[in-house]
Amino acid sequence: MSFRLIVLFSVNLCFFIGFGMAFLTADHVVTVNKEDTIYQKIQAEKEEFEWEAQDAKIDSVWKKTPGLVGRKVDVEASYKKMQKYGKYNPELYVYKLIKPEVSLEDLPASPIYRGHPDKEAVSFLINVSWGEEYIPDMVKILNEHQVKATFFIDGAFANDFTHLVQMIEEEGHTIGSHGYRHKDMGRMTKEQSKANLEQADELLFALTKEKVKYFAPPSGSFNTATVEAADEMGMETILWTVDTIDWKKPTSDVLITRVTGKVHNGATILMHPTEVTVESLPILIERIKDKGYKLVSLQKLLSEER
């Protein structure tokens, strides 16, 4: 066989193989038939599976509150997916996510107490200006239960216990600011608050090389100037909705009952590195999960995802 015939044969063979593959692919294309009972059932029932997007807002009580994404059923994509199986199945719905028009970043400076009240998730907030002896065990327990917490570190503590701050960060937990030397920031001007926060931020950034995003005022004491100072530095001011009051040294049973009796959607749970917290933490985590809540990072709690 001549070289020219070999080339022609190869070209024709490739053409027919390509044509055949295209034919096979086209044969599996699903045409949308709006008269199909599957299509009509999707149209009739889709609203049961759709969510309206919810904008972030400043609540009169809970202040800055994150929004939630919405979703709409993609009718044609859902139909094509179900038609391949020949029956209606809501588990095969295809959705389009709808982003809220207003996000947290669009709102003016305001404290944050909780996540969205429709979100079945909670987050641990750990304020740290003492209790260094309990931190390694707390981190170990959190890691064993695959829970990510936010540790709000006092700048002076960070200076004295650099290895603990780096260990917390290396284990995947979030480092927030607790100001510098546990001052009453509710009595400070904006300039004083900013100076205090900058002292803490310098130390925390030097240890983690990450910009601090969250700030928890010592003892929960703050004023408008405090929140505005944090906002101008790119930080959200974080408070809490459930308090362990572990610094008063309750029994483990009292601490666990106190938290599980008040836990709710979007809860932020405040604790400190104490002996009773370490003792209670494994049971507390299990009890919270048993009530149907996910334990998530603060960033995830405040996100728009459901």
Side-chain angles (χ1 to χ4, degrees):
M1 185 181 291
S2 68
F3 176 78
R4 185 178 178 184
L5 288 173
I6 292 172
V7 171
L8 286 172
F9 177 79
S10 300
V11 170
N12 289 334
L13 180 62
C14 289
F15 172 79
F16 282 112
I17 290 174
F19 177 82
M21 291 301 291
F23 177 80
L24 287 172
T25 303
D27 194 47
H28 284 76
V29 171
V30 178
T31 303
V32 174
N33 177 6
K34 295 184 179 181
E35 303 303 316
D36 191 327
T37 54
I38 295 175
Y39 187 94
Q40 292 179 352
K41 195 167 179 63
I42 293 170
Q43 284 282 34
E45 298 189 7
K46 65 185 179 68
E47 289 185 8
E48 296 178 27
F49 301 90
E50 294 180 330
W51 304 323
E52 291 294 327
Q54 298 187 45
D55 289 341
K57 64 178 183 179
I58 296 184
D59 185 82
S60 59
V61 176
W62 301 110
K63 305 306 177 187
K64 213 170 185 179
T65 304
L68 287 177
V69 294
R71 71 181 188 185
K72 295 287 184 184
V73 172
D74 185 327
V75 176
E76 292 199 359
S78 299
Y79 170 75
K80 290 177 180 179
K81 195 172 181 182
M82 293 182 200
Q83 209 276 339
K84 290 179 182 178
Y85 294 92
K87 63 179 180 178
Y88 172 82
N89 182 354
E91 293 182 3
L92 298 178
Y93 270 130
V94 177
Y95 298 101
K96 295 177 181 177
L97 294 182
I98 312 298
K99 187 174 174 59
E101 293 183 5
V102 180
S103 296
L104 277 181
E105 297 75 19
D106 301 321
L107 299 176
S110 179
I112 296 175
Y113 284 84
R114 66 178 188 182
H116 195 283
D118 289 346
K119 197 165 186 172
E120 295 179 340
V122 303
S123 192
F124 285 156
L125 315 179
I126 304 170
N127 287 354
V128 181
S129 54
W130 38 261
E132 63 277 4
E133 65 269 37
Y134 301 112
I135 289 177
D137 284 340
M138 288 187 76
V139 171
K140 181 181 178 182
I141 293 166
L142 291 168
N143 289 351
E144 286 174 349
H145 289 81
Q146 298 180 317
V147 173
K148 299 302 180 187
T150 302
F151 287 77
F152 294 92
I153 310 290
D154 182 285
F157 182 96
N159 188 58
D160 293 339
F161 300 99
T162 58
H163 65 291
L164 291 178
V165 178
Q166 289 174 322
M167 181 266 288
I168 292 167
E169 195 264 343
E170 287 169 1
E171 293 294 339
H173 302 283
T174 302
I175 300 292
S177 172
H178 201 40
Y180 191 78
R181 292 201 181 281
H182 213 270
K183 301 290 185 180
D184 184 351
M185 300 187 78
R187 297 177 178 271
M188 294 184 185
T189 64
K190 186 191 291 187
E191 291 70 26
Q192 290 171 329
S193 291
K194 192 171 286 187
N196 184 284
L197 290 171
E198 284 173 347
Q199 276 187 291
D201 275 14
E202 283 182 20
L203 289 160
L204 294 172
F205 181 80
L207 294 174
T208 66
K209 300 298 184 279
E210 294 284 342
K211 175 71 178 73
V212 177
K213 296 179 180 178
Y214 305 114
F215 156 65
S219 303
S221 178
F222 69 96
N223 56 29
T224 300
T226 315
V227 180
E228 289 177 351
D231 181 72
E232 290 174 12
M233 294 175 64
M235 290 187 288
E236 298 284 7
T237 300
I238 307 297
L239 280 302
W240 64 90
T241 59
V242 180
D243 192 352
T244 59
I245 319 180
D246 50 7
W247 54 274
K248 283 193 174 182
K249 300 180 180 179
T251 65
S252 181
D253 286 344
V254 167
L255 187 152
I256 292 166
T257 301
R258 178 180 290 149
V259 173
T260 55
K262 295 180 179 179
V263 70
H264 56 83
N265 284 358
T268 47
I269 301 169
L270 177 64
M271 58 184 64
H272 303 80
T274 70
E275 183 177 3
V276 68
T277 309
V278 171
E279 180 185 345
S280 306
L281 201 50
I283 300 172
L284 182 61
I285 290 170
E286 292 303 326
R287 295 277 176 86
I288 290 171
K289 289 180 177 179
D290 287 345
K291 290 176 79 71
Y293 297 105
K294 292 181 181 178
L295 272 159
V296 300
S297 67
L298 181 60
Q299 182 176 358
K300 196 162 185 177
L301 185 74
L302 301 182
S303 73
E304 293 170 346
E305 67 181 77
R306 291 181 181 258

